Amino acid sequence: MDATTTTRTQAEQAPRGAVPEHPDHLTDLLTGALHDGDLVGVAARACDLSARDLAEVLARCDESDAGVLFRLLDKDTAAAVFEELDAVSAQRVLDGMREGTAGEPADGRGHTVLELVEGLDPDDRARLLGEMPASVAHRVLAGLTPDRRRATAALLGYPAGSVGRLMTPEVVSLHAGGTVADALARVRRTGRDAETVYTLPVVGPGRRLEGTVGLRELVLSPPETPLAELVETDIDWVRATDTGEDAARLLGDSDGIALPVVDAERRLLGLLTIDDAVEELERAESEDVARQSGAEPWQGHYMTAGVLGLARSRVVWLLLLLVAATLTVNVLQYFEATLAQVTALALFVPLLIGTGGNAGAQAATASVRALAVGEVRPSDVLAVMWREARVGAALGTMLALAGLLIGTALVGASIALVVGISLVVICAWAATIGATMPLVARRIGIDPAVVSAPAVTTLVDATGLVIYFSVAHLVLQL
């Protein structure tokens, strides 16, 4: 029995509901059955999976398999799965469907790009169109109904990365002059089309935001209660041009589930909901992690990212760090005479620059994280420098004790003393530099993650050697 037949048999014989835990196993089962031509078995198997599981499978499939698998889903399931896909994976699915024009049916089930895009919430629709090629986006946008086109175009009009791109304009707003009965009647009348009704913004004349009220308070209050008595006016809100990441963190800090978004005159435009805020924080976290490791962030699922694409995302920083590492070579060349006099000093060069680089990277990571969650600001730079200098000195002292024991046993007390003193100074210096560079970067408008671990490590390598050989000159009287 060949591999594809085995896969098909597994897909047919697996009991309904017994879903494999790992997405790669699911992908292998479904794509194997697809390649074997068992479309009925694939469709039956897909019925047992949740929309989230199917979205993960589609994200792992290649473009053509994703298109075929998606066309096998019934209309309601396809819409639910499409909402779960990130913008890049959704675009790959649409490309895999090999549509001739934006409005043509993709198959007998009636899936079309327009139907799928129209079924999305406005913020998800704007995010997807923003990732599409301009020609395709204009064609799809032109095919939307007038109301959806206006709502989507309004969101696309905000800068990329702003909260205006993330908010939902489909909200139930209440008027401050009504009663609880009036408010509940409005929620019942218009709430079906809103993304959330649990946090309800309250507006005054000209749709100016006055506060919010929770659905819980409305339901538990007598119908004749004036709405103004329930409105919470001391609330957080953001302007549509604020960054999405800052707005998402503000929503997280407020422990709410939605955050009002307003224009420059505080007129209500929409809400940032908690699910979109979590997605934005995940995107920002992924971007920071990539940059802290010396790479540019990539779009889409890791398992379907191209090898050359991943290499391109990493090579630029590696080239820059390679050039910067010539500083270390120059320092070693400058102190060549010192090494010639005391060759034992060379034994501890890797230990010292490695320790200093690690200490600097730890401090840089802590600083970037503290900046991201608002625990420190660029104005705190002096306090952070003083704190990290002491932390680094304490770490260096602990490491120096071990270094003295090892060094004395290997090369004698004098060299061990040089190593011990150097460890204290290098660790203090590395921690100070590592914590300071992200703060300075934020001050001058650079992403702090860009100047984090790799850049700090390279700088500390060169300066650590200067410290080491300077201490050797003083202690050994070279």
Side-chain angles (χ1 to χ4, degrees):
M1 183 180 294
D2 60 22
T4 55
T5 303
T6 300
T7 303
R8 181 183 62 182
T9 302
Q10 291 173 341
E12 292 174 344
Q13 294 180 351
R16 297 178 65 86
V19 181
E21 294 183 1
H22 300 292
D24 54 350
H25 190 193
L26 291 173
T27 305
D28 290 343
L29 285 174
L30 294 177
T31 57
L34 278 178
H35 295 164
D36 197 37
D38 184 19
L39 302 185
V40 175
V42 172
R45 185 69 178 177
C47 292
D48 290 334
L49 305 179
S50 66
R52 180 171 297 179
D53 286 337
L54 283 170
E56 178 66 18
V57 169
L58 288 169
R60 288 170 171 261
C61 289
D62 61 39
E63 191 174 281
S64 59
D65 286 342
V68 174
L69 176 57
F70 192 82
R71 288 199 297 267
L72 294 174
L73 304 177
D74 64 75
K75 192 171 183 179
D76 292 338
T77 302
V81 171
F82 201 69
E83 288 184 355
E84 293 286 342
L85 294 171
D86 61 79
V88 175
S89 297
Q91 180 60 48
R92 289 178 60 257
V93 168
L94 296 181
D95 292 341
M97 292 167 68
R98 299 184 183 280
E99 294 245 324
T101 61
E104 288 181 359
D107 63 11
R109 295 174 183 268
H111 304 331
T112 70
V113 172
L114 290 179
E115 287 177 340
L116 293 170
V117 174
E118 281 197 338
L120 296 174
D121 291 327
D123 51 323
D124 295 328
R125 193 184 308 130
R127 189 177 302 121
L128 174 60
L129 292 176
E131 296 287 344
M132 285 182 173
S135 59
V136 178
H138 287 312
R139 186 154 52 104
V140 173
L141 191 61
L144 299 176
T145 60
D147 288 342
R148 288 185 171 89
R149 188 188 312 126
R150 282 193 295 270
T152 306
L155 296 186
L156 289 172
Y158 293 106
S162 67
V163 68
R165 286 281 189 101
L166 304 176
M167 70 178 181
T168 174
E170 296 178 336
V171 300
V172 178
S173 58
L174 306 178
H175 298 287
T179 64
V180 167
D182 298 330
L184 288 174
R186 180 171 175 79
V187 171
R188 296 188 187 99
R189 188 170 61 252
T190 63
R192 188 175 300 276
D193 296 327
E195 187 168 336
T196 181
V197 296
Y198 299 108
T199 297
L200 301 164
V202 179
V203 298
R207 286 186 60 82
R208 182 178 172 83
L209 180 68
E210 295 191 0
T212 61
V213 64
L215 182 63
R216 175 186 173 89
E217 284 70 30
L218 291 181
V219 172
L220 297 180
S221 299
E224 67 277 4
T225 304
L227 184 62
E229 294 183 6
L230 304 179
V231 176
E232 184 178 355
T233 57
D234 185 18
I235 61 170
D236 293 316
W237 50 269
V238 292
R239 290 188 171 88
T241 53
D242 292 342
T243 66
E245 183 179 352
D246 289 343
R249 294 196 184 282
L250 179 60
L251 177 56
D253 292 339
S254 67
D255 294 327
I257 59 174
L259 187 67
V261 182
V262 301
D263 62 11
E265 299 178 6
R266 200 172 166 173
R267 290 176 298 198
L268 180 69
L269 297 174
L271 290 174
L272 173 66
T273 54
I274 188 65
D275 58 329
D276 292 324
V278 170
E279 287 183 9
E280 178 63 14
L281 290 178
E282 181 179 338
R283 182 204 61 78
E285 180 70 16
S286 298
E287 184 177 288
D288 287 345
V289 167
R291 287 178 171 159
Q292 285 176 15
S293 63
E296 283 299 310
W298 63 88
Q299 298 293 324
H301 199 287
Y302 171 80
M303 294 303 294
T304 55
V307 172
L308 290 180
L310 289 174
R312 281 196 299 269
S313 72
R314 302 175 189 179
V315 69
V316 175
W317 262 107
L318 287 177
L319 287 173
L320 291 175
L321 294 174
L322 178 65
V323 173
T326 58
L327 290 173
T328 303
V329 177
N330 291 334
V331 171
L332 286 172
Q333 187 176 19
Y334 182 81
F335 288 103
E336 188 175 0
T338 303
L339 286 173
Q341 294 180 58
V342 186
T343 55
L345 291 174
L347 297 175
F348 296 93
V349 168
L351 181 150
L352 290 169
I353 64 175
T355 301
N358 290 336
Q362 288 177 335
T365 301
S367 181
V368 170
R369 182 261 176 195
L371 271 172
V373 300
E375 294 177 352
V376 299
R377 299 180 295 274
S379 58
D380 297 322
V381 61
L382 293 179
V384 171
M385 289 176 66
W386 173 234
R387 172 181 290 271
E388 286 296 334
R390 290 179 292 161
V391 171
L395 288 171
T397 300
M398 289 183 275
L399 295 174
L401 295 176
L404 284 171
L405 294 175
I406 296 172
T408 301
L410 292 178
V411 293
S414 58
I415 301 296
L417 181 60
V418 172
V419 173
I421 296 173
S422 298
L423 279 170
V424 176
V425 179
I426 288 173
C427 286
W429 166 250
T432 303
I433 291 297
T436 302
M437 286 181 67
L439 297 174
V440 174
R442 172 64 64 83
R443 171 68 73 181
I444 62 179
I446 299 175
D447 187 345
V450 173
V451 293
S452 58
V456 169
T457 299
T458 302
L459 176 62
V460 170
D461 284 351
T463 54
L465 287 177
V466 173
I467 293 171
Y468 178 42
F469 290 118
S470 298
V471 171
H473 272 274
L474 292 174
V475 173
L476 303 178
Q477 299 295 312
L478 299 177

